[in-house]
């Protein structure tokens, strides 16, 4: 930590004040109230002669870099106000004065970025984050890809697509050949119906043992029964569900109406009354396949974690835990049998984390497989949509319905996947990492698959930082007005997007492009190292989450068992902790991951188990608030 009394820092600081036009000086004898007032109006007009202007900028940045730790050592003790000096006692008046002046001069630099809407407290927060987070990533990426001039090496992964996207591409693939279901009988118990697979429900409808309206009623009933415990539903779409179900039952034309009457909240207080007069492309695809929309489920606020304006979504297998996110509602509702399947999204773990926590089968497909028009955007080069289901077979059916070229999403493609139900798995070589669930490895080996130890080798050591630079800068571009207008002050979790996006405001264009060049290097190294047809490994390891999303790898989350919860009550509990693993495949080889998961689930029944939800046992009581703490996401540099 740099001491503000360090001679080098003090000299740079004094020169900075003088050249930036601060005639108040840096005297510690000034009273705090004068310093606080002065800190709001010390930036000079930006019309200096060239030399003075640039010297001012240089020393502003120098002081920001050298002194950030010192000026911020007491940052977290400050009250949540615009002034960095509020509620400081008289004994710390000198330190408070220095801090206020430092914040004021940093604001000079922010004016050059047209970002002078940040108050002093936020400026100091940004400087601290930039020192601790941005600079190590910038230096690592520069070392990786920017040591040679001329741009002949390590090209950026960002590419220009001149296609106007006005014409639908010719279909590149055929519909998968689904297994047939015969001699299916309608269960007497509605809960048994709720946990049936998509193929089984379809067979009941085809044989007229059940109607779409009846299924809509069953799932709406379960949604309303269990949502008070799980907090996973934003809006029930009863009227629309029954309307669509009736039309499906009558075999009327589909896809001719909008649903503007339902709110699209993105889980955020800021947008909780938002109504979009459009339909998402993925919704249109499902509707044209006969699907019925019964509810709009929870996304963590602005697609971050499981906290939203209505509460915090819980894990049906242990409602003392939260579901994680951001696809919290789809994971929890599918796990609890409140819906037969749901659509989630992922930029960085938003499907894999809640899918694993809630013990459901979930497919994060190859980037570009499913169109994203009408879906909230975080990062055009990272965002993906995929299904949460009971089984890998169900994931295959839903994927078949939603994949294809979206003419308004230039990143979407119509990949010619092979039929997962027809893959000869005995011809595959599948690797397994050190953190793979060995029960999965053993079962697949018994199915005749060649299983080999495996490790992905790559030299890029800033994988997590590359993802955060990419995601955060892209996100801020989409929510620039939200930050500038101060709407981030009412965000549900202040340690999440608000902090990350303020820090990303000062990532330069050069450093963003360097991150994309480093990403390109990572992609090439992973491609060279991927010498197997697929591999098995931990699906929630943060390094793998970042790598998989940067490279565009498909992965399917596979339930692999259960274990007792930690610290159960003395009399026992029905609650469980889920065990899951991931099956990863190269891009555009989703059918391989699906085929392997289908093979595993054909001889196991982990995916068929039903969570207790709120039926915990006679002597098991959940404290409110829960005592279980979920550790925050940690960046390892």
């Amino acid at each position: 930590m740099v001491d503000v009394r360090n001679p080098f820092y003090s000299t740079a600081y004094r020169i900075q004040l003088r050249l930036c036009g601060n005639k108040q000086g840096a005297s510690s004898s000034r009273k705090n109230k004068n310093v606080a007032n002065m800190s709001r109006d010390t930036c000079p007009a930006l019309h200096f002669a060239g030399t003075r202007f640039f010297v001012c900028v240089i020393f502003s940045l120098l002081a920001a870099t050298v002194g950030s730790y010192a000026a911020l050592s007491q940052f977290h003790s400050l009250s949540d106000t615009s002034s960095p000096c509020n509620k400081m006692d008289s004994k710390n008046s000198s330190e408070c004065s220095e801090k206020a002046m430092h914040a004021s001069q940093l604001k000079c630099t922010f004016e050059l970025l047209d970002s002078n809407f940040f108050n002093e407290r936020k400026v100091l927060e940004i400087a601290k984050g930039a020192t601790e987070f941005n600079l190590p990533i910038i230096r690592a990426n520069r070392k990786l890809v920017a040591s040679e001039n001329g741009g002949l090496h390590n090209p950026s992964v960002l590419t220009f697509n001149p296609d106007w996207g006005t014409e639908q591409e010719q279909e590149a693939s055929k519909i998968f050949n689904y297994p047939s279901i015969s001699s299916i009988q309608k269960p007497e118990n509605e809960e048994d119906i709720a946990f049936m697979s998509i193929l089984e429900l379809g067979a009941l409808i085809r044989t007229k043992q059940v109607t779409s309206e009846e299924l809509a009623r069953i799932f709406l009933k379960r949604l309303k029964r269990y949502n008070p415990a799980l907090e996973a539903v934003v809006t029930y779409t009863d009227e629309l569900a029954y309307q669509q179900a009736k039309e499906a039952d009558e075999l009327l034309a589909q896809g001719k109406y909008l649903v503007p009457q339902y709110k699209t909240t993105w889980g955020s207080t800021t947008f909780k009354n938002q109504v979009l007069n459009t339909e998402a492309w993925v919704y249109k695809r499902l509707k044209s396949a006969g699907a019925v929309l019964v509810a709009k489920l929870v996304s963590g606020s602005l697609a971050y974690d499981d906290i939203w304006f209505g509460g915090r979504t819980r894990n049906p297998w242990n409602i003392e835990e939260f579901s994680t996110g951001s696809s919290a509602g789809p994971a929890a509702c599918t796990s609890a049998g409140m819906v037969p399947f749901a659509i989630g999204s992922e930029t960085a773990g938003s499907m894999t984390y809640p899918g694993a926590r809630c013990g459901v089968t979930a497919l994060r497909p190859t980037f570009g497989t499913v169109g994203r028009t009408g879906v909230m955007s975080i990062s055009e080069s990272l965002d993906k949509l995929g299904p949460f289901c009971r089984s890998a077979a169900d994931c295959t059916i839903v994927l078949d319905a939603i994949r294809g070229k979206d003419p308004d999403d230039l990143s979407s493609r119509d990949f010619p996947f092979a039929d997962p139900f027809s893959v000869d798995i005995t011809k595959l070589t599948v690797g397994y990492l050190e953190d793979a669930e060995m029960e999965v490895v053993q079962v697949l080996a018994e199915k005749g698959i060649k299983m080999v130890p495996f490790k992905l080798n790559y030299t890029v050591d800033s994988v997590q930082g590359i993802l955060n630079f990419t995601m955060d800068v892209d996100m801020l571009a989409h929510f620039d007005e939200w930050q500038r207008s101060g709407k981030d002050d009412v965000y549900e979790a202040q340690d999440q997007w608000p902090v990350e996006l303020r820090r990303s405001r000062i990532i330069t264009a050069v450093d963003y492009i360097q991150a994309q060049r480093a990403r390109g290097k990572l992609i090439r190294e992973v491609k060279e190292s991927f010498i197997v047809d697929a591999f098995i490994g931990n699906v929630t390891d943060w390094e793998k989450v970042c790598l998989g999303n940067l490279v565009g790898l498909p992965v399917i989350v596979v339930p692999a068992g259960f274990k007792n919860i930690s610290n159960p009550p003395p009399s026992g509990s029905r609650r469980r902790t889920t065990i899951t693993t991931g099956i990863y495949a190269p891009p555009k080889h989703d059918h391989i991951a699906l085929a392997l998961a289908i093979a595993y689930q054909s001889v196991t029944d982990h995916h068929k188990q039903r969570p207790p939800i709120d039926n915990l046992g006679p002597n098991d009581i959940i404290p409110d608030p829960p005592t279980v703490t979920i550790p925050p996401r940690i960046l390892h540099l």
Side-chain angles (χ1 to χ4, degrees):
M1 182 174 291
V2 179
D3 193 327
V4 294
R5 291 174 292 277
N6 181 294
F8 172 68
Y9 173 78
S10 299
T11 301
Y13 190 68
R14 286 196 298 272
I15 295 175
Q16 175 203 18
L17 298 180
R18 188 174 299 115
L19 292 179
C20 282
N22 180 2
K23 296 182 180 179
Q24 305 287 341
S27 172
S28 60
S29 63
R30 295 286 184 183
K31 294 182 179 180
N32 278 351
K33 62 181 181 180
N34 292 333
V35 172
N37 292 331
M38 176 179 61
S39 69
R40 286 165 172 71
D41 189 25
T42 56
C43 292
L46 302 180
H47 56 261
F48 296 122
T51 302
R52 186 183 182 198
F53 174 77
F54 283 108
V55 171
C56 172
V57 173
I58 289 170
F59 276 101
S60 292
L61 293 174
L62 176 64
T65 301
V66 174
S68 57
Y69 273 120
L72 299 164
S73 60
Q74 300 291 328
F75 170 72
H76 288 293
S77 67
L78 299 179
S79 62
D80 189 17
T81 64
S82 61
S83 172
C85 290
N86 285 347
K87 296 185 179 180
M88 299 288 291
D89 61 41
S90 58
K91 294 181 180 180
N92 295 326
S93 60
S94 176
E95 183 177 354
C96 176
S97 299
E98 298 245 18
K99 186 178 299 183
M101 292 304 303
H102 181 60
S104 173
Q105 295 309 314
L106 283 175
K107 291 196 70 173
C108 293
T109 305
F110 275 79
E111 283 201 6
L112 300 178
L113 303 174
D114 194 26
S115 300
N116 58 348
F117 51 87
F118 292 118
N119 60 37
E120 284 86 349
R121 179 187 60 80
K122 292 179 181 178
V123 165
L124 294 180
E125 171 200 282
I126 293 168
K128 181 176 186 292
T131 303
E132 295 177 349
F133 186 91
N134 292 16
L135 290 180
I137 299 170
I138 289 170
R139 290 164 180 161
N141 290 340
R142 187 182 300 140
K143 181 179 178 181
L144 278 171
V145 299
S147 58
E148 298 181 67
N149 296 319
L152 301 178
H153 307 282
N154 299 306
S156 167
V157 297
L158 300 179
T159 59
F160 170 62
N161 185 349
D163 185 356
W164 287 4
T166 56
E167 297 181 0
Q168 181 73 35
E169 292 184 4
Q170 185 176 0
E171 291 293 327
S173 53
K174 298 179 181 179
I175 295 174
F176 299 150
N177 183 24
Y178 308 148
S180 60
I181 299 291
S182 60
S183 302
I184 188 75
Q185 295 296 317
K186 176 185 175 182
E188 295 183 3
N189 189 310
E190 286 189 353
E191 178 164 319
D192 292 335
I193 295 175
F195 280 94
M196 295 180 80
S197 71
I198 292 174
L199 285 175
E200 290 169 334
L201 292 174
L204 290 182
I205 293 174
R206 284 195 304 273
T207 56
K208 299 182 180 180
Q209 298 182 63
V210 71
T211 66
S212 293
E213 284 190 88
E214 186 177 356
L215 290 179
R217 179 189 61 79
I218 289 172
F219 286 112
L220 281 166
K221 181 180 177 181
R222 290 184 64 82
L223 283 161
K224 294 175 182 179
R225 161 68 178 84
Y226 291 112
N227 188 57
L230 298 179
E231 298 181 2
V233 181
V234 177
T235 305
Y236 301 103
T237 58
D238 305 51
E239 182 180 352
L240 176 64
Y242 286 124
Q243 177 186 350
Q244 290 182 337
K246 182 178 179 180
E247 292 184 356
D249 288 335
E250 295 174 353
L251 300 179
L252 296 178
Q254 302 171 3
K256 295 183 179 180
Y257 50 91
L258 297 173
V259 285
Q261 67 269 35
Y262 295 106
K263 296 173 182 177
T264 301
T265 68
W266 301 335
S268 170
T269 299
T270 309
F271 301 99
K272 68 178 181 180
N273 295 316
Q274 173 178 253
V275 175
L276 301 177
N277 292 311
T278 187
E279 291 181 332
W281 187 85
V282 66
Y283 169 71
K284 292 180 181 179
R285 297 282 287 191
L286 287 168
K287 188 172 63 174
S288 67
V292 172
L293 178 67
V294 293
K296 301 186 76 170
L297 307 178
V298 164
S299 163
S301 184
L302 301 185
Y304 198 129
D305 205 33
D306 49 26
I307 300 172
W308 60 294
F309 68 83
R312 191 169 185 183
T313 304
R314 296 178 185 268
N315 171 17
W317 280 101
N318 180 3
I319 62 172
E320 188 180 10
E321 290 183 337
F322 299 107
S323 64
T324 77
S326 65
S327 297
C333 288
T334 304
S335 173
M338 296 158 71
V339 292
F341 74 92
I343 301 299
S345 64
E346 170 149 334
T347 306
S350 288
M351 291 189 67
T352 53
Y353 278 117
R357 174 65 58 78
C358 297
V360 297
T361 308
L363 174 68
R364 182 190 76 202
T366 296
F367 175 81
T369 299
V370 182
R372 303 164 299 180
T373 299
V375 178
M376 191 199 94
S377 180
I378 292 181
S379 171
E380 281 89 345
S381 70
L382 292 171
D383 295 342
K384 294 161 290 293
L385 304 177
F388 290 86
C389 297
R390 305 256 189 276
S391 66
D394 281 1
C395 282
T396 302
I397 295 167
V398 176
L399 178 68
D400 202 21
I402 63 178
R403 66 192 174 108
K405 173 65 178 176
D406 173 359
D408 295 319
D409 180 356
L410 297 182
S411 293
S412 71
R413 298 287 184 271
D414 194 358
F415 297 124
F417 296 129
D419 186 345
F421 295 114
S422 303
V423 173
D424 184 354
I425 59 174
T426 62
K427 295 182 179 180
L428 301 177
T429 299
V430 176
Y432 58 91
L433 306 182
E434 291 182 352
D435 58 10
E437 284 298 324
M438 294 309 296
E439 188 251 5
V440 178
V441 175
Q442 182 179 351
V443 168
L444 291 179
E446 292 171 354
K447 298 284 287 186
I449 300 169
K450 182 180 180 182
M451 305 297 297
V452 298
F454 178 69
K455 182 179 181 180
L456 273 178
N457 295 308
Y458 53 91
T459 63
V460 176
D461 57 2
S462 57
V463 172
Q464 300 171 36
I466 295 168
L467 182 130
N468 275 270
F469 265 33
T470 303
M471 177 177 66
D472 292 352
V473 171
D474 291 355
M475 174 72 172
L476 182 57
H478 292 295
F479 286 87
D480 185 30
E481 187 277 337
W482 178 76
Q483 186 187 77
R484 287 179 177 275
S485 60
K487 295 184 177 71
D488 59 340
D489 288 335
V490 298
Y491 185 78
E492 289 72 13
Q494 284 294 305
D495 61 336
Q496 295 179 357
W497 278 134
V499 171
E500 288 198 30
L501 297 188
R502 289 168 195 155
R503 185 174 62 227
S504 66
R505 176 68 66 174
I506 57 174
I507 297 173
T508 69
V510 170
D511 293 309
Y512 178 83
I513 295 299
Q514 301 296 29
Q516 303 316 304
R517 295 177 70 196
R519 181 181 179 184
K521 182 180 178 67
L522 173 68
I523 291 171
R524 290 188 294 275
E525 291 182 347
V526 169
K527 179 182 177 181
E528 293 174 0
S529 179
F530 211 124
I531 58 175
V532 291
D533 295 301
F535 69 84
I536 316 294
N538 186 297
V539 78
T540 58
D541 173 70
W542 182 234
E543 176 82 2
K544 292 187 189 68
V545 168
C546 294
L547 181 145
N549 281 287
L550 288 171
V551 177
L553 300 180
V555 63
I556 185 165
V557 180
V558 182
F562 302 90
K563 60 184 179 180
N564 291 331
I565 62 171
S566 58
N567 301 316
S571 58
S573 173
R574 297 187 179 117
R575 293 179 284 149
R576 295 290 182 269
T577 297
T578 59
I579 299 172
T580 55
T581 198
I583 302 178
Y584 299 78
K588 300 189 289 186
H589 287 72
D590 304 49
H591 57 287
I592 299 296
L594 286 164
L596 292 168
I598 290 171
Y600 172 73
Q601 292 182 340
S602 70
V603 293
T604 59
D605 64 356
H606 306 305
H607 62 292
K608 296 181 180 180
Q609 304 306 306
R610 303 176 187 180
I613 313 178
D614 56 359
N615 183 21
L616 308 180
N619 299 306
D620 189 2
I621 299 175
I622 299 296
D624 191 14
T627 58
V628 171
T629 57
I630 307 301
R633 187 185 71 188
I634 299 175
L635 178 76
H636 301 283
L637 293 174

